[in-house]
Amino acid sequence: MSGETGGNGQAGGQGRSVLVTGGNRGIGLAIARELATAGDAVAVTYRSGDAPEGLFGVKCDVTSSEDVDAAFGKVEAEQGPVEVVVANAGITKDTLLAIMSEDDFGSVLDTNLTGAFRVSKRAVKGMMRKRRGRILLVSSVVGMLGSAGQSNYAASKAGLVGFARSLARELGSRNITVNVVAPGFVETDMTAALGEDRHAEIKKHIPLGRIASADEIAKVVRFLASDDAAYITGAVIPVDGGMGMGH
């Protein structure tokens, strides 16, 4: 598990200590940069590749409790106890149920749902002592709508909602909020690989008629992590252009 990289120059007490899992690309990186812009000291975990420039990075596989604990230890040593955690790390293994292996199902839940459990459980220890904190879970419109060939992914993302709302009830008395952001289709490397025809088909189902930028997701996370959202907990905030409205 080792491999911490880089510093953000903010460990001396500017802002809060923030950790974003899966923060070296896509939505996670946009969230990390947005929170850093807000003045927080931001660390990211990543499983492969390199740490983003300007952010404190720790290599971590969220399917390992030992990795998660060690990552938190390194972040705490660098920038203090984590006050805001964003559970963003996730994977997909899309295939139809009839040919989906048990590993295809189980590994997606282990990363996307149980990974969020491991990260949240470790974060809560410090937050409860400080009697404040923000836990933010990145779900998906697919968790509400369903998607053929994504029963594993949809189950994991729907599970985050029940998990978050249970935590919101457990932790509210300690001034810890727990909220879910549910993005729709977002411009990332993953969606770029879908091709123009698939993009056109997707846009037909989005009332706003376009795919979101990762920055649009990040700004909603920034709001939920801010003092302005102090009275919001147990909420599921869709950022999907209207695609999943009513769910």
Side-chain angles (χ1 to χ4, degrees):
M1 199 258 58
S2 57
E4 66 273 24
T5 312
N8 59 13
Q10 293 180 305
Q14 278 184 286
R16 303 161 298 178
S17 175
V18 176
L19 177 61
V20 180
T21 66
N24 64 328
R25 60 179 180 265
I27 293 171
L29 179 56
I31 290 169
R33 295 216 182 281
E34 184 70 27
L35 292 173
T37 299
D40 291 320
V42 182
V44 301
T45 72
Y46 59 101
R47 193 172 62 171
S48 59
D50 299 313
E53 186 177 348
L55 296 169
F56 182 69
V58 181
K59 208 158 191 180
C60 173
D61 183 344
V62 297
T63 66
S64 163
S65 296
E66 291 76 16
D67 261 26
V68 169
D69 186 52
F72 268 85
K74 291 177 186 299
V75 172
E76 289 161 351
E78 172 73 9
Q79 59 189 37
V82 174
E83 297 175 66
V84 178
V85 67
V86 182
N88 167 76
I91 62 170
T92 58
K93 290 189 178 181
D94 298 350
T95 190
L96 297 173
L97 179 65
I99 55 174
M100 182 180 289
S101 69
E102 190 162 330
D103 179 68
D104 287 339
F105 191 85
S107 61
V108 169
L109 265 74
D110 194 23
T111 297
N112 299 2
L113 180 56
T114 314
F117 155 76
R118 295 182 186 101
V119 169
S120 299
K121 182 175 179 179
R122 180 58 175 79
V124 156
K125 294 179 181 178
M127 292 178 182
M128 290 179 73
R129 283 195 295 270
K130 294 174 78 74
R131 299 190 70 86
R132 69 174 183 272
R134 295 278 191 274
I135 297 172
L136 295 152
L137 310 180
V138 179
S139 179
S140 168
V141 66
V142 169
M144 271 59 84
L145 283 180
S147 176
Q150 289 193 300
S151 59
N152 49 1
Y153 184 74
S156 70
K157 293 300 188 177
L160 289 173
V161 175
F163 178 63
R165 287 179 165 164
S166 298
L167 288 189
R169 295 184 186 280
E170 283 185 29
L171 301 172
S173 64
R174 302 295 183 101
N175 196 32
I176 300 167
T177 66
V178 189
N179 291 295
V180 177
V181 176
F185 282 89
V186 182
E187 292 171 355
T188 63
D189 292 343
M190 191 185 302
T191 54
L194 294 175
E196 289 185 17
D197 290 346
R198 179 62 177 141
H199 273 227
E201 183 63 29
I202 289 167
K203 289 174 186 176
K204 290 178 184 176
H205 301 284
I206 303 172
L208 288 182
R210 65 178 179 84
I211 292 174
S213 72
D215 287 342
E216 289 177 299
I217 313 303
K219 289 181 188 302
V220 174
V221 173
R222 176 176 174 171
F223 165 69
L224 289 171
S226 74
D227 289 343
D228 291 339
Y231 201 59
I232 300 173
T233 194
V236 180
I237 309 297
V239 194
D240 62 7
M243 185 178 182
M245 70 172 86
H247 291 270

